[in-house]
Amino acid sequence: CARMFTVYFPFRSQIGINVTQIRLPKQCTEDQVIEELLKLNDDQRVHGVYLHLPPAFLTSRVLNTLKPEKDVEGISDVNVGRLIRGDFSRGFVPPVANAVLDMLVKDDGPVEGKNVLLVGGKRPLQLILQCLIEKSGMATLRSNRNRNHLQRQNVVRSCSRWLQDQHYRPWRLHPLKLQPLTPVPSDLEISRAQVAKPVDQLATEIGLLPEELESYGRNKAKVRLSLLDRLHSQPDGKYVLVAGITPTPLGEGKSTVTVGLVQALSAHLKLNSFACLRQPSQGPTFGVKGGAAGGGYAQVIPMEEFNLHLTGDIHAITAANNLVAAAIDARILHEATQSDKALFKRLVPSVNGVRKFSPIQISRLRRLGINKTDPESLTSQEISNFVRLDLDPKKITWQRVVDTNDRFLRKITIGQASTEKGQIRETGFDIAVASEIMAILALADSLEDMKNRLARMVVGTSHSGLPVTAEDLGVSGALAVLMKDAIKPTLMQTLEGTPVFVHAGPFANIAHGNSSVLADKLALKLVGRDGFVVTEAGFGADIGMEKFFNIKCRASGLRPNVVVLVATVRALKMHGGGPHVSRHGSANLSLVAGGCQSNLKKQIQIAQQFGVPVVVALNVFKTDTQAEIDLVCQIARECGAFDALPCNHWAQGGRGSVALAQAVKQAASKPSNFQFLYHSEMPIVEKIRTIAQRVYGADDIDLSLEAQTKIDYYNQQGYGSLPICMAKTHLSLSHMPDKKGAPTGFVLPIRDVRASVGAGFIYPLVGTMSTMPGLPTRPCFYDIDLDPATEEITGLF
Amino acid sequence: CARMFTVYFPFRSQIGINVTQIRLPKQCTEDQVIEELLKLNDDQRVHGVYLHLPPAFLTSRVLNTLKPEKDVEGISDVNVGRLIRGDFSRGFVPPVANAVLDMLVKDDGPVEGKNVLLVGGKRPLQLILQCLIEKSGMATLRSNRNRNHLQRQNVVRSCSRWLQDQHYRPWRLHPLKLQPLTPVPSDLEISRAQVAKPVDQLATEIGLLPEELESYGRNKAKVRLSLLDRLHSQPDGKYVLVAGITPTPLGEGKSTVTVGLVQALSAHLKLNSFACLRQPSQGPTFGVKGGAAGGGYAQVIPMEEFNLHLTGDIHAITAANNLVAAAIDARILHEATQSDKALFKRLVPSVNGVRKFSPIQISRLRRLGINKTDPESLTSQEISNFVRLDLDPKKITWQRVVDTNDRFLRKITIGQASTEKGQIRETGFDIAVASEIMAILALADSLEDMKNRLARMVVGTSHSGLPVTAEDLGVSGALAVLMKDAIKPTLMQTLEGTPVFVHAGPFANIAHGNSSVLADKLALKLVGRDGFVVTEAGFGADIGMEKFFNIKCRASGLRPNVVVLVATVRALKMHGGGPHVSRHGSANLSLVAGGCQSNLKKQIQIAQQFGVPVVVALNVFKTDTQAEIDLVCQIARECGAFDALPCNHWAQGGRGSVALAQAVKQAASKPSNFQFLYHSEMPIVEKIRTIAQRVYGADDIDLSLEAQTKIDYYNQQGYGSLPICMAKTHLSLSHMPDKKGAPTGFVLPIRDVRASVGAGFIYPLVGTMSTMPGLPTRPCFYDIDLDPATEEITGLF
């Protein structure tokens, strides 16, 4: 085989294998093939071989030459005949590709860098390669796939490039210049005055590969999770949480501190850094609050895109959530109007005379304790158990959602059309971000984990008291399909051109209020050992930070290095006894000191209970006096903060937060002694009590009868080891919004307890939580407009 | 100024101007500047000059040198001082850019190819250029913006490239090879076996510029409307409509014929061609029907992406529709609980002591006949008229929507929470594609047109009988913002790698059921004079085609060249007296002949009334006999079809539709005598009667009292000249689904009449139309799943 030559199609797969193709010339002899196979048998660089040869070579001699451990799962001999007949697009290619992947995964040794050789004809092997590429989640083949005959030297070059690509790439970030103006213009004016870098340029600068990026227009892109595999051996960067003291109703600027801090770290201290932010609900954008992209010279741009559809994740959640709801009510109707036999006939239909369970139905049978797979073998009792979810309409906990502030949907009656045959019931809509699916998106650490969580979601209880899950409804596979793109974090940038992930935005009371685990994980790999990931927790530290530690870190396995605690003179005055809502107070050192000694001190102590150093960031307003600023920083240090600094990112961008960035860098170099506040195996009541006493400062808790009954039920159902997600007001450390400072001597009432089994937490209700905002008399949309000639948006803020 | 040099930043704006920058060296004299300006005055290639010079040069001599007609709207002298102070990011740049654009637009001559020179310092001019680029809707500057010092020769090259870019580019399409298998595999298997071209490659092949494309991942991209400006002088291609005979409930394959036809035209006859398809609702994907990407070897790929979120257009419609709904009910509540004075105080709030109407409120005042702009000057009666929409809760026609088959939302009661203070009312949800906003998306021919239509939408009637619009609610600007990306058509491809636009998918009964005007317009420019655009109408020709001609073509101004009428032997047998739902009938020539002589003949005649030649496409099933096929084609020709041909795209891809493609090409070369069926100024009743008699074959119409009352009301409100959109069953030419063939001797009952004022049509109801499908006992979602390792979807069809 003097003319035998090798064509390489090197590519990166999710599990990091190399696939190489060897082509045999047409005029080859059997002996030459065997000789080639013997070489492959002995070649330690070759971990698997897939044979595709003309029929003449498929002799037992040839087939038996290849060592079994190198044979790709017996596919060679079994299917090769079909392949020869050109039958390779009939669902045949995926099994081959699967077998290749399976073989590598099953093997004990490390997977990365393994080589599989595909030997044989060009067209089928190309198809298999393409399929492998698709399966491994890659966008494109790295080598030039349009050329049919690659020169060996090109190939060698592309191979070595490919090997380099496997490794971490140092950043070559080109920050955007800022020239802040005084007075500070509106957020939208600032956002629009800066021209964002094309997102693919930003991606290249921070070491992403083209095939890891899915652009959505020019300014935003989803990042593929395959990045985690590529960089799995790369050490994580430092993990910084931004939390806040108990805020005024106006908010104290955690988002702007987060953005300002990464601008300072990346653009000014030249340290790789990433901000991880929550995606805001679109409801408030058109209601009262406006957007959530940061503000002033610490913003994510373009802020319009951040605040509107983004890459459609919340829309996907809405679609998935409402598919579950539709499935629930349709199922109740069908069960109410059909016999067991009719239901069974329809649920397990006869296709060409054969009834077969779908995989999702087999899962339900397993949970019912029925270990059968042949539909004909079920007893009539088993059939009844299988077909009847027997949902109690009064005990359905699943609500529908819209991403609109639509208060009239808070409580509604559905099913009133005659077609629904009187199956009416009361229910309601929540805002989309309150969906359990949003909490799952934020906590999942892989596609598989998300799919499993979606399947476990409990939507209600049967008349006999059994939980009914999304999988019981047969809908969980479809949910995973609807959510498959939403699970990829969205890359955007700050005003200074530094990278930001926007991903997930669960409610901060009935859920945990933190951005996604996956965005943090991707960012920690991308920044590298000496880099920083700054992520934000919702509400005050008593809620957002506590849930970040006890729920999010428990789910992710990540350990934080620093807490940045955001305070404002305005909020501190309130805690010191000043008015509760005041935009511009006059200087008052004693109120400020009072606030520091109460709320700030307590919030610092909460962080310290978790063993993480605290840097206090005083978000400076132009009305603050130097004496006030100095006082806050001084007391904060006395109360145990590692450091405390004023920051001026709003007026100055990253330059205004350089001192904060330096303090964070120093704090992160200290060893962190992170520990959870409670073990997950502690009884539910004890977990609630621990949080109430050690975080909120309560004397004890007071469980209602309803709460106690629910806890007993959850224990009985095996949910007892889930962590706790308190649904408490964020306006006080206690349950009483009016009690500012650091209240003591109170007993925390637990009105009710609920569970998000898929997301994986129990949430006790301390008071009433609204899960659907309303529109005021004059919503912000009165000012929002679009210039059709320029496509320019006005009125967003 | 020997060292004076020129830097060009050529770029394409929406209005096709060139902007060029001339830099003056620092050591320039006043005389040299004047000399330069005099040259510009006389240079006929220069259409406008914007001066930005150091203060020393801002003498009246210099300022007066420039001819007034070349001065960019007096900006030079007024603002140059501010610019010098580096103040150019404070909202200053956009006015300059606006002035540049304004000057060119206002001028009488043709705008395209005009040159503006910006003379002066680098940084401010760069900012202005960037702003112009943003305003003109461009993604990137064509020349290399990162190099600060461009070589003149590079620049000249990029200029001439830019000039070439202005023109139509011939296609260099590389079709994908198909190797169809027998038997034909499942749709998903076929889709997955083909590897789609990257969408940016497809875009380049069909002459799109990179900045006209907004990719959404690898397989789909939105195309910017600026394309229409760039190619406005390019002649349109041929416009082909695919319609069908009255179908069986299973559908007769219009989508597959459409896709097969463009595969044949592009990949086999090498003629530029584009398919324009509707985006399917996600509801049926998880319900009964499955997807709508075509089928067999005539599909849009990847079919999963086609059938799921696509680029989020339907989600945007849902968000916009439900924002209107939330605004309606919130407004009713606020009006019910507040005095005129309180409402006015909130609707026109005092900001820094000044009350001001927003533009959208001024519009409402105008409609009320109040020509005042100072809020303080309104009388108390005017205030009352202004603040009270006074919506009659019983006469609200606006429904909420979800893109889910959720039958329990068909009729609901809302507002039952105590926070809504007893303002309960009955309403319902429709499937998202039934929203009037979807019909608007499909009919709008620009962003401005869409915005105006959104503002005109009537959501209900006041107690005094006045229509209340989206603009009255103050929400229409926000709707345009929500819809600003949805208006751009989405580019995908067929199995053979030929281009497809997917855009809009309005309901085919209460709306007009056709894909978007804009997709058709963009495609007609892209294919060029000798190319073909094949677009599809919903339902049978009596509905889809009639609405295509009378509504869509009236809105777009486009004129069709050919109608392709899809028939199947199965449906013809039904019309000839055979069973209504039969997948596999035995050969029966007399039933086939009966169907041809009745329904097929009638549908051909309908198309001919509009003056457009008809080619009958017989969608061949494997059970059809050659005798049946020959018979259909023979009778079709006898009934006046230009030609009639069997097509085998399902089994063979484009190759199976080559004969059809050739016939369409021939038919398109005939002159078309297109005419509307009625003038828009004809009275509403006459328009309805004309359709009933001339299209459906009815003897007359029978108006209910309710219908007559509504017609009187619409006439009184000035909606009398809107076209008619009949809401009739598609299963018969008559209103009785069981009457097959070509029924005669019936009177068409008009139960009620409604109006979509924003979309721009009146829709008479012939019978009851369901606008919300339900889920069956075993919805398709039972089979839909995602493999988390490979991200592969199973169970879609």
Side-chain angles (χ1 to χ4, degrees), chain A residues 10 12 18 112 142 156-170 172 207-209 211-212 230-231 234:
Chain A
R12 175 188 349 289
N18 302 325
E112 179 140 317
R142 297 278 302 157
V156 170
R157 206 178 307 134
S158 103
C159 273
S160 52
R161 207 186 310 128
W162 177 78
L163 283 169
Q164 283 170 9
D165 281 352
Q166 294 307 302
H167 299 123
Y168 176 77
R169 296 168 156 198
R172 279 177 296 189
L208 282 162
L209 304 179
E211 60 268 28
E212 287 165 349
R230 175 168 69 92
L231 297 183
Q234 169 70 12

Side-chain angles (χ1 to χ4, degrees), chain A residues 113 137 157 177 251 293 311 319 378 384 403 405 423 428 458 606 617 684 721:
Chain A
R157 206 178 307 134
K177 292 264 179 302
T311 48
L378 264 62
S384 181
D403 198 27
N405 285 9
Q423 297 286 327
V458 172
I606 294 171
I684 293 174
S721 60

Side-chain angles (χ1 to χ4, degrees), chain A residues 139 218 347 400 406 413 416, chain B residues 139 218 400 406 413 416 778:
Chain A
R218 182 185 176 278
L347 284 169
R400 288 168 174 81
D406 195 349
T413 299
Q416 295 179 313
Chain B
R218 182 186 177 275
R400 287 167 175 82
D406 195 348
T413 300
Q416 294 179 313
R778 187 188 195 281

Side-chain angles (χ1 to χ4, degrees), chain A residues 523-709:
Chain A
L524 284 165
K525 290 297 177 203
L526 279 171
V527 297
R529 190 196 310 266
D530 302 321
F532 288 80
V533 172
V534 184
T535 192
E536 185 195 346
F539 288 176
D542 52 317
I543 304 186
M545 184 179 71
E546 183 270 313
K547 293 177 181 177
F548 173 81
F549 288 142
N550 282 322
I551 299 175
K552 185 175 173 185
C553 289
R554 210 182 290 262
S556 69
L558 298 173
R559 297 296 171 255
N561 298 90
V562 182
V563 166
V564 172
L565 193 66
V566 178
T568 59
V569 167
R570 171 176 77 186
L572 289 168
K573 283 180 183 163
M574 172 185 77
H575 291 299
H580 288 184
V581 188
S582 149
R583 281 179 194 268
H584 311 290
S586 52
N588 187 323
L589 289 176
S590 94
L591 286 181
V592 171
C596 290
Q597 296 292 359
S598 59
N599 195 273
L600 179 62
K601 184 178 177 183
K602 174 69 180 165
Q603 299 280 23
I604 292 170
Q605 287 169 347
I606 294 171
Q608 287 177 328
Q609 288 191 62
F610 291 91
V612 185
V614 179
V615 176
V616 172
L618 182 68
N619 185 13
V620 175
F621 285 39
K622 60 185 172 197
T623 47
D624 299 348
T625 66
Q626 192 58 44
E628 288 174 326
I629 293 168
D630 293 343
L631 183 65
V632 174
C633 294
Q634 183 204 323
I635 302 179
R637 285 188 213 102
E638 288 166 9
C639 292
F642 174 85
D643 204 346
L645 299 124
C647 41
N648 295 287
H649 47 273
W650 186 78
Q652 297 171 23
R655 192 177 304 281
S657 283
V658 167
L660 174 67
Q662 272 158 340
V664 167
K665 186 186 166 195
Q666 282 192 352
S669 66
K670 303 279 164 196
S672 156
N673 305 306
F674 177 75
Q675 56 190 10
F676 296 120
L677 196 66
Y678 54 80
H679 290 289
S680 55
E681 296 307 324
M682 194 185 270
I684 293 174
V685 176
E686 285 312 306
K687 285 187 271 199
I688 300 174
R689 184 174 288 122
T690 302
I691 295 171
Q693 292 177 335
R694 295 187 50 196
V695 178
Y696 306 157
D699 288 344
D700 201 353
I701 57 172
D702 178 18
L703 283 184
S704 72
L705 185 64
E706 196 172 358
Q708 187 58 61
T709 312

Side-chain angles (χ1 to χ4, degrees), chain B residues 34-221:
Chain B
I34 287 175
E35 190 186 326
E36 189 62 23
L37 291 182
L38 287 171
K39 276 194 253 166
L40 297 179
N41 274 347
D42 293 339
D43 191 336
Q44 298 205 338
R45 296 166 306 169
V46 176
H47 303 89
V49 174
Y50 170 72
L51 285 182
H52 169 61
L53 299 171
F57 293 117
L58 287 177
T59 60
S60 56
R61 242 187 98 211
V62 167
L63 291 174
N64 291 329
T65 301
L66 194 63
K67 282 188 188 167
E69 65 267 33
K70 293 208 170 178
D71 188 10
V72 172
E73 201 66 78
I75 286 285
S76 309
D77 46 351
V78 178
N79 292 298
V80 85
R82 269 210 275 155
L83 263 183
I84 299 293
R85 290 199 303 274
D87 209 4
F88 35 76
S89 57
R90 196 213 307 214
F92 170 69
V93 171
V96 175
N98 276 340
V100 170
L101 295 173
D102 279 358
M103 193 200 65
L104 291 162
V105 174
K106 271 184 213 149
D107 189 7
D108 284 342
V111 161
E112 179 142 319
K114 285 200 172 167
N115 299 300
V116 175
L117 272 77
L118 305 177
V119 182
K122 202 180 76 185
R123 174 82 183 137
L125 296 186
Q126 264 188 343
L127 284 171
I128 293 170
L129 281 167
Q130 285 171 354
C131 183
L132 276 166
I133 292 158
E134 295 293 314
K135 285 184 166 295
S136 59
M138 284 192 49
T140 50
L141 195 52
R142 295 280 301 161
S143 67
N144 190 334
R145 54 199 292 222
N146 288 328
R147 279 193 243 161
N148 285 327
H149 301 283
L150 290 174
Q151 301 272 322
R152 180 185 271 259
Q153 56 269 43
N154 284 346
V155 159
V156 169
R157 208 177 307 135
S158 104
C159 274
S160 52
R161 207 184 311 128
W162 177 79
L163 284 168
Q164 284 169 8
D165 280 352
Q166 294 306 300
H167 300 123
Y168 175 77
R169 296 167 155 198
W171 285 17
R172 278 177 297 188
L173 191 74
H174 297 282
L176 300 174
K177 291 266 179 302
L178 261 197
Q179 293 181 305
L181 300 176
T182 318
V184 176
S186 80
D187 290 355
L188 189 58
E189 280 173 304
I190 292 174
S191 168
R192 205 178 293 146
Q194 188 69 296
V195 178
K197 282 184 276 200
V199 70
D200 49 355
Q201 182 192 327
L202 173 66
T204 307
E205 288 179 4
I206 61 171
L208 282 162
L209 305 178
E211 60 267 28
E212 287 166 348
L213 207 69
E214 295 176 2
S215 294
Y216 280 61
R218 182 186 177 275
N219 296 311
K220 45 197 195 297

